[in-house]
Amino acid sequence: MEESKSGTVRAVDRALDILLCFTDTTDLGLTEIAEKTGLHKSTVFRLLASLEAKGFVTRDSSTEKYKLGFRIWELSVNLSQGDDPATILLPEMERLRDILGETISLYIRDGSERIRIQAVQSKHSIRRVAPIGARLPLYVGASSKVLIAFADMNTQENMINDWKEFIDISAYKDQMAGIRKVGYATSVEEREPGVAAVSAPVFNRSHQLVAALSVSGPLNRLTLENMKDHAGLIIESANRMGNMLR
């Protein structure tokens, strides 16, 4: 069994890389998967055959496209949800959405990215659509600022130093200090044109940062004044969420 330099099994790594291609799309062709993984088509074809045989992917014979298979859903049913913030905090997110009327998202940090692990969509016809599972950069956006500002100082320093080409480090550190002081962060068109967001930290009972609670929507509704007015409600909601967690 061939091992990679990191000590993991190369074939398993490659098979998992193929499955991870489906995090942001529902179906992919052989060529698309090869391009995403950087693997030869012949290697991808053999791995897909194994995954298909075990039910982890299925192939549509009419389009020659692959999709995730039933085994993925069988495994997901058995995920332990007792400590899963995406499940525990959903009712509070729905309550906040009903109060503010905007899209509510919950983010966690994974390395140098943030992941949206839960979302409740606004009921407005014009709204910010927030797909669950999306990975986004950490150096822009209200929730990113929260995940950095309230992280431990060692993590914060390491992250910020990696972004020298994207940010003014001195100004960014001052901004982080200001966010810690007021307890929330805002962003206006930092990642998407016409979109604004305000975010607050969710701490567990040990005061460890768990996630960032974010409210986002179009600029004509989420003005800077409105976000400042909403901040207290969002912080209160984030505090309630923290009390729900172990």
Side-chain angles (χ1 to χ4, degrees):
M1 191 176 294
E2 188 179 5
E3 291 187 357
S4 67
K5 291 180 180 179
S6 62
T8 57
V9 179
R10 190 185 301 273
V12 175
D13 285 342
R14 289 174 169 178
L16 292 173
D17 284 341
I18 288 174
L19 291 177
L20 289 172
C21 288
F22 294 92
T23 55
D24 56 1
T25 189
T26 56
D27 55 357
L28 291 167
L30 176 64
T31 300
E32 293 172 304
I33 295 171
E35 290 174 351
K36 279 178 169 285
T37 58
L39 300 172
H40 292 297
K41 282 186 182 181
S42 59
T43 301
V44 173
F45 181 79
R46 291 195 302 272
L47 290 168
L48 282 168
S50 295
L51 290 169
E52 186 178 9
K54 293 291 186 180
F56 287 96
V57 299
T58 61
R59 182 173 60 88
D60 187 329
S61 58
S62 63
T63 63
E64 295 299 318
K65 295 263 189 176
Y66 291 86
K67 297 181 179 181
L68 291 177
F70 66 92
R71 289 293 184 192
I72 296 291
W73 312 122
E74 286 184 337
L75 290 174
S76 69
V77 169
N78 293 313
L79 279 171
S80 174
Q81 297 182 342
D83 295 314
D84 177 14
T87 302
I88 296 170
L89 305 181
L90 181 58
E92 179 63 24
M93 294 175 67
E94 291 173 337
R95 191 192 73 84
L96 186 62
R97 185 274 313 275
D98 293 342
I99 293 173
L100 298 181
E102 302 296 349
T103 295
I104 312 298
S105 299
L106 194 67
Y107 293 91
I108 61 171
R109 185 179 69 85
D110 183 23
S112 59
E113 296 178 309
R114 57 183 163 116
I115 306 174
R116 185 182 292 115
I117 62 169
Q118 187 62 277
V120 179
Q121 307 296 345
S122 167
K123 294 180 180 179
H124 289 292
S125 56
I126 298 176
R127 60 187 177 182
R128 166 85 191 293
V129 177
I132 296 172
R135 284 180 172 268
L136 303 168
L138 263 179
Y139 54 85
V140 289
S143 57
S144 291
K145 294 173 187 176
V146 163
L147 291 172
I148 294 300
F150 294 96
D152 63 87
M153 293 308 296
N154 187 50
T155 297
Q156 190 176 132
E157 286 290 333
N158 289 338
M159 291 288 106
I160 293 174
N161 289 333
D162 286 341
W163 300 334
K164 294 177 182 178
E165 59 184 295
F166 304 114
I167 62 172
D168 180 322
I169 291 181
S170 178
Y172 190 85
K173 287 183 177 180
D174 288 342
Q175 187 180 29
M176 294 300 102
I179 290 168
R180 288 192 296 274
K181 183 176 180 180
V182 298
Y184 69 95
T186 61
S187 64
V188 176
E189 295 187 301
E190 290 188 9
R191 198 179 63 83
E192 297 177 63
V195 174
V198 54
S199 182
V202 177
F203 299 100
N204 63 18
R205 293 181 183 181
S206 299
H207 205 69
Q208 296 172 319
L209 180 66
V210 175
L213 174 65
S214 179
V215 178
S216 59
L219 272 174
N220 64 324
R221 293 200 304 262
L222 272 186
T223 63
L224 281 172
E225 183 178 355
N226 285 342
M227 287 193 286
K228 186 176 180 179
D229 290 340
H230 294 336
L233 285 172
I234 298 166
I235 292 171
E236 287 177 8
S237 191
N239 289 339
R240 274 192 292 272
M241 290 180 175
N243 289 332
M244 296 175 189
L245 301 173
R246 293 179 183 176

